[in-house]
Amino acid sequence: MAKNIVIFISAALVNNFVLAYFLGICPFLGVSKKTKSAVSMGLAVIFVMVITAIISSLIDTYFLKPFNLSYLMNVSFILVIASLVQVVEMFLRKTSKPLYEALGIYLPLITTNCAILGLALFGVLREYTLVQNIFFGLGAGVGFTLALVIMSGIREELEFADVPKPFKGVPIALITAGCLSLAFMGFAGLI
Amino acid sequence: MNEIIIAVLGMGILGLFWGLILVIVNKKFHVDENPLIEKIIDCLPGANCGACGFAGCNAFGEAIVDKEVDPVLCPVSESESRQEVAKILGREVKEPEVKLVAKLFCSGARGIVEDKADYMGLKTCAAENVTLGGTKACHYGCLGFADCVAVCPFDALKMEEGLPLVDKEKCTSCGKCIDACPRDLFKLVPIDQELFVPCSSKDNAPIAKKVCKVACIGCKICERVVTNGTFVVKDFLAEVDYEKAKKADKKEIEEVIAKCPQKIIRLED
């Protein structure tokens, strides 16, 4: 159990997918303008990540490894991720249209989000068991949401700050992301 | 051989499984869309040019039904399709009066205007304009790298002798060339207007004459010759008021075309 907690904290804080591995920058910069959409994006990603972690672990254990089909790893994982994201899209479209429109194009873009595929591939690479994969997915999702929510809070405040003209918009967001990454490096000695 | 069969079968089953899940979820979470929207979108031209101000024809169709937007906003659609839309919705749609087309307000191609320096950067107008205002001696004029030609979704622009020429038949006044030109040289004019001062130079006479052989120098001869106020000179640049030009004395117009010292007053169809 202790190992699982370590995996969770490592994925969420120490090796944060966005701020340490620089995966999933696209929705990180695209949806972090308002905290509300950031939270919903984060929740959607947690859901996709956990289920992806479970299913890719199962696929690898029972289909890819026994039949020597490791080369099908990328293809099968993307198949699973794409379908899952479609399910989330349809669900959101019916249950909360305003949220669906607030996320806009970034919702289907979760499919191409390298963080999700990265999660699946890391799980296989590090030979995590199914349970470890679940904690890994949870931790990664929570870490992603954390980074996104912190970023959106900062960006909302930046709207009222006196940013010099050349830096307005994306440049100051990227600099902020860099500073945030440096801050998260403080977790390095935690585990 | 065995491996290939297993691989294909395995991926096939995986795909089928997820396809089934998607079908089930789709049925359960089906969202009923207003059937009118589909009909309206079919009437629209489908060019997705964005001239209406919406994100493509689908978004425009939705806006027409949900937000009561005027279908006339689409300059690309034919008058018949707009009346179709009006019939489907049971609304009245007023037609715009005169078709507008784009026109370039510059006559100084790179051969006529000198270059201050050699430009060796990216061959786009936007890039050259950002590079210290470009290397053309006239800093109001056309840079000739055809950003406008590239952006026109209707193939209505062609470069001829260094300047973009508008094909009036193809132009739908969507406005993309106006946005693309970094020097704002395009304006929308009525399709039947022929009298123009195709220049945008606000330089005073000595400078304008030095940099371009045909630039308007703001000498105001046109203001004096044509008495009904067709030509108005502001900031050393003459502009044609088309309404007044239609009512002006034909003889005066001929006279002013001959008298313009730079020969920049032109009848262009």
Side-chain angles (χ1 to χ4, degrees):
Chain A
M1 188 60 192
K3 180 116 199 268
N4 294 335
I5 305 278
V6 165
I7 291 179
F8 179 86
I9 296 195
S10 155
L13 292 177
V14 181
N15 292 322
N16 187 299
F17 265 59
V18 180
L19 298 174
Y21 290 141
F22 299 120
L23 297 172
I25 305 276
C26 176
F28 181 65
L29 287 177
V31 191
S32 58
K33 285 229 175 103
K34 278 209 222 109
T35 314
K36 187 151 185 254
S37 28
V39 172
S40 9
M41 178 62 144
L43 290 173
V45 167
I46 292 181
F47 175 73
V48 176
M49 273 189 171
V50 171
I51 310 246
T52 307
I54 298 175
I55 297 188
S56 35
S57 170
L58 289 172
I59 290 182
D60 187 59
T61 320
Y62 294 113
F63 179 51
L64 297 178
K65 284 251 166 58
F67 300 108
N68 244 332
L69 295 170
S70 290
Y71 59 88
L72 283 180
M73 205 160 52
N74 281 332
V75 182
S76 48
F77 289 174
I78 289 280
L79 181 81
V80 172
I81 296 172
S83 321
L84 271 173
V85 170
Q86 275 292 301
V87 169
V88 171
E89 241 196 282
M90 290 193 244
F91 178 72
L92 266 186
R93 189 155 177 240
K94 173 98 181 193
T95 53
S96 169
K97 192 103 201 269
L99 204 62
Y100 175 78
E101 289 188 351
L103 288 177
I105 194 77
Y106 289 101
L107 191 55
L109 276 182
I110 298 180
T111 312
T112 54
N113 188 349
C114 40
I116 316 269
L117 186 62
L119 169 89
L121 293 175
F122 277 143
V124 168
L125 220 67
R126 299 174 184 178
E127 302 193 337
Y128 285 154
T129 65
L130 182 61
V131 178
Q132 286 172 337
N133 255 315
I134 297 178
F135 277 93
F136 187 45
L138 254 177
V142 167
F144 181 86
T145 310
L146 193 68
L148 208 58
V149 169
I150 294 178
M151 186 66 172
S152 67
I154 296 179
R155 277 185 101 177
E156 280 185 347
E157 292 294 317
L158 273 180
E159 293 285 308
F160 302 116
D162 192 14
V163 180
K165 193 150 181 259
F167 288 97
K168 278 207 164 89
V170 177
I172 196 69
L174 287 172
I175 295 179
T176 311
C179 294
L180 210 54
S181 297
L182 282 174
F184 265 62
M185 270 183 81
F187 288 118
L190 196 63
I191 296 184
Chain B
M1 191 59 200
N2 234 352
E3 289 162 3
I4 299 181
I5 297 182
I6 293 179
V8 169
L9 224 68
M11 286 302 289
I13 294 178
L14 196 65
L16 266 172
F17 173 68
W18 281 104
L20 229 77
I21 299 235
L22 281 174
V23 167
I24 296 175
V25 175
N26 194 5
K27 281 267 149 65
K28 267 198 86 182
F29 288 100
H30 185 65
V31 172
D32 279 318
E33 231 189 49
N34 192 339
L36 272 183
I37 298 186
E38 274 294 316
K39 278 205 213 145
I40 302 262
I41 293 181
D42 280 335
C43 295
L44 294 176
N48 282 322
C49 66
C52 51
F54 292 91
C57 298
N58 278 16
F60 187 46
E62 272 183 40
I64 291 183
V65 176
D66 292 332
K67 301 182 202 149
E68 311 249 322
V69 162
D70 195 351
V72 176
L73 279 175
C74 172
V76 186
S77 52
E78 309 272 323
S79 157
E80 302 141 7
S81 11
R82 283 198 280 262
Q83 295 309 322
E84 264 295 321
V85 172
K87 224 175 21 167
I88 297 179
L89 292 172
R91 255 193 267 160
E92 235 203 72
V93 168
K94 247 188 326 170
E95 289 295 318
E97 281 150 24
V98 175
K99 179 171 169 193
L100 295 174
V101 290
K103 170 125 188 87
L104 182 79
F105 278 74
C106 174
S107 307
R110 288 202 106 101
I112 302 179
V113 177
E114 270 176 38
D115 276 335
K116 292 182 288 192
D118 280 332
Y119 176 66
M120 307 201 100
L122 281 175
K123 288 195 171 3
T124 66
C125 312
E128 186 176 359
N129 194 40
V130 174
T131 323
L132 295 175
T135 56
K136 206 173 170 193
C138 171
H139 55 264
Y140 295 97
C142 170
L143 292 164
F145 282 124
D147 278 9
C148 48
V149 178
V151 87
C152 176
F154 303 103
D155 205 27
L157 282 164
K158 276 203 177 43
M159 286 309 273
E160 244 190 57
E161 298 172 354
L163 292 173
L165 194 62
V166 178
D167 182 340
K168 281 188 180 178
E169 297 303 308
K170 293 188 181 161
C171 174
T172 62
S173 53
C174 70
K176 289 213 136 141
C177 50
I178 300 179
D179 291 332
C181 179
R183 294 191 160 181
D184 296 324
L185 291 173
F186 280 98
K187 291 203 184 83
L188 286 179
V189 298
I191 193 171
D192 48 350
Q193 179 173 355
E194 285 183 348
L195 184 68
F196 294 106
V197 175
C199 176
S200 307
S201 163
K202 299 211 170 93
D203 285 328
N204 62 15
I207 298 182
K209 262 190 158 158
K210 196 169 77 153
V211 299
C212 176
K213 296 192 200 122
V214 295
C216 172
I217 54 177
C219 61
K220 299 200 181 180
I221 290 182
C222 49
E223 261 188 1
R224 277 176 263 144
V225 168
V226 182
T227 47
N228 75 337
T230 303
F231 292 91
V232 176
V233 174
K234 213 173 69 157
D235 290 330
F236 301 102
L237 179 64
E239 267 182 46
V240 172
D241 179 336
Y242 185 49
E243 295 302 308
K244 297 208 174 127
K246 283 193 274 198
K247 304 184 200 129
D249 184 352
K250 295 269 184 313
K251 281 237 168 73
E252 287 181 350
I253 300 280
E254 278 175 26
E255 206 189 320
V256 84
I257 294 180
K259 278 206 168 153
C260 174
Q262 295 284 89
K263 297 283 177 282
I264 191 63
I265 302 181
R266 298 179 180 183
L267 283 173
E268 291 177 351
D269 63 355

